[in-house]
Amino acid sequence: MLVESYTATWCSQCPAVNVALDSLATKFGQTADFVSHHINDNMNNKWAPMSVDSLPLVVLNRETRVTKAADLNAAITAAVASAPKGVALSWRNLEFNQSKKQVTGVLQLTAQDAWVTQGLRFGVMLREQGVRGLGAGWDQKVDFQLTKDSQSVFFGKNKTLVGYPHQRVIWSVFGGKAGTVSSTGASILLSGDKLDIPFTLSIPDTMLSVGIPTSADFGPTGAICSRFKPADLSVVGFVASDFGAGISESIHLGDYSAPILASVAQPLWDMKNGLDRLNAQQRLNL
């Protein structure tokens, strides 16, 4: 199953939820994949599939919303137990090309039930662990006594992000917010049939900035490529189903999410599933 948290660097309540998710990610292992979408901050993710007006929020398989850290364990346990088993996902020809700053590969679906191909949506997310340091935002400690001027960019902020790691951060997504529909393969997938979804992810050169001056010392000064911690990069693939999503005005406006059927994750530093090659030229920094 897929666990997506909505967070922000300025959110004073989000660290508690993030700590809980760190523990749950270890507990559930391969049965659940955890990602974090930053919204409305210096790490803003334009690919976040839902429009959220309050933080923190955790969404399970893009269906169940959880707003309290204390409820996460029971909610994820129940969701894992009832997760649909109609499809399975795996990686093929996964390649991390450092010189091109690209990740390419094939997300392969194996049907366990019969499916209409045009009703399936596929996506692959680029995820990073341990995002920290100057240029990534704030340390999430809101201190209104330090900055009382509501017109200041420092209002409600304490200091720039130093030491607090943001985990599971999504930087790029293949397939858009809700996933892409396959243009190949049979119209009907029977049990045992396979469907290949080729994808390309570009590693961003700079962090995204929304409403925060880039010239200030807390602006986006680093990125994945400049920090370049390939051991902290991974990909998370998912397949969703439009079946049962319904047709409404909100769907045509783009504000909907197809329920997740399955997800799969793979670290880029340790690729063993159908790997073609890995660009071996890399500097060693101590």
Side-chain angles (χ1 to χ4, degrees):
M1 63 167 297
L2 183 63
V3 181
E4 296 175 288
S5 63
Y6 286 76
T7 185
T9 51
W10 46 261
C11 171
S12 60
Q13 301 299 318
C14 291
V17 172
N18 287 329
V19 169
L21 290 174
D22 289 344
S23 175
L24 292 172
T26 301
K27 173 182 176 180
F28 287 96
Q30 300 298 317
T31 61
D33 295 313
F34 293 74
V35 304
S36 290
H37 299 293
H38 278 259
I39 60 174
N40 299 327
D41 69 0
N42 200 31
M43 296 161 65
N44 187 63
N45 170 21
K46 64 182 181 181
W47 298 282
M50 291 185 179
S51 299
V52 176
D53 60 1
S54 61
L55 298 176
L57 175 69
V58 178
V59 182
L60 311 181
N61 278 343
R62 298 189 178 174
E63 292 185 293
T64 304
R65 299 191 177 200
V66 184
T67 58
K68 297 180 181 179
D71 297 337
L72 284 171
N73 183 43
I76 296 177
T77 299
V80 167
S82 61
K85 305 295 193 299
V87 296
L89 293 177
S90 59
W91 303 104
R92 293 293 180 268
N93 302 327
L94 192 60
E95 179 181 346
F96 178 22
N97 191 313
Q98 299 179 25
S99 61
K100 292 183 178 180
K101 302 176 183 177
Q102 284 186 340
V103 180
T104 58
V106 173
L107 180 65
Q108 185 176 82
L109 175 142
T110 302
Q112 298 169 336
D113 296 322
W115 293 95
V116 177
T117 305
Q118 291 299 311
L120 299 175
R121 309 187 72 90
F122 299 87
V124 181
M125 297 178 279
L126 179 67
R127 179 178 64 179
E128 184 183 14
Q129 293 288 105
V131 180
R132 66 169 73 206
L134 188 65
W138 306 95
D139 68 354
Q140 302 196 12
K141 296 178 181 178
V142 178
D143 191 341
F144 289 98
Q145 296 302 313
L146 293 180
T147 54
K148 298 181 179 180
D149 180 6
S150 62
Q151 302 304 310
S152 169
V153 294
F154 293 100
F155 178 65
K157 308 292 195 297
N158 187 0
K159 57 181 178 294
T160 48
L161 176 66
V162 177
Y164 184 85
H166 294 265
Q167 308 292 9
R168 308 169 300 276
V169 176
I170 297 302
W171 288 114
S172 181
V173 179
F174 166 83
K177 293 184 176 183
T180 184
V181 177
S182 174
S183 59
T184 61
S187 59
I188 302 295
L189 293 175
L190 302 179
S191 178
D193 287 351
K194 298 183 184 298
L195 182 62
D196 290 344
I197 310 297
F199 68 89
T200 299
L201 283 169
S202 297
I203 300 177
D205 286 321
T206 58
M207 293 181 185
L208 302 175
S209 177
V210 177
I212 296 180
T214 58
S215 59
D217 60 357
F218 53 84
T221 58
I224 291 176
C225 291
S226 59
R227 294 191 310 266
F228 215 71
K229 305 178 299 176
D232 290 331
L233 297 179
S234 59
V235 285
V236 179
F238 66 86
V239 58
S241 173
D242 279 340
F243 181 75
I247 300 299
S248 67
E249 183 179 4
S250 63
I251 288 182
H252 295 297
L253 292 176
D255 187 19
Y256 90 106
S257 226
I260 299 294
L261 297 174
S263 67
V264 62
Q266 175 64 45
L268 294 182
W269 188 251
D270 183 23
M271 297 182 294
K272 298 177 181 178
N273 296 329
L275 172 65
D276 274 347
R277 64 185 185 278
L278 173 67
N279 187 328
Q281 292 188 1
Q282 178 186 328
R283 294 181 302 172
L284 175 64
N285 295 313
L286 298 181

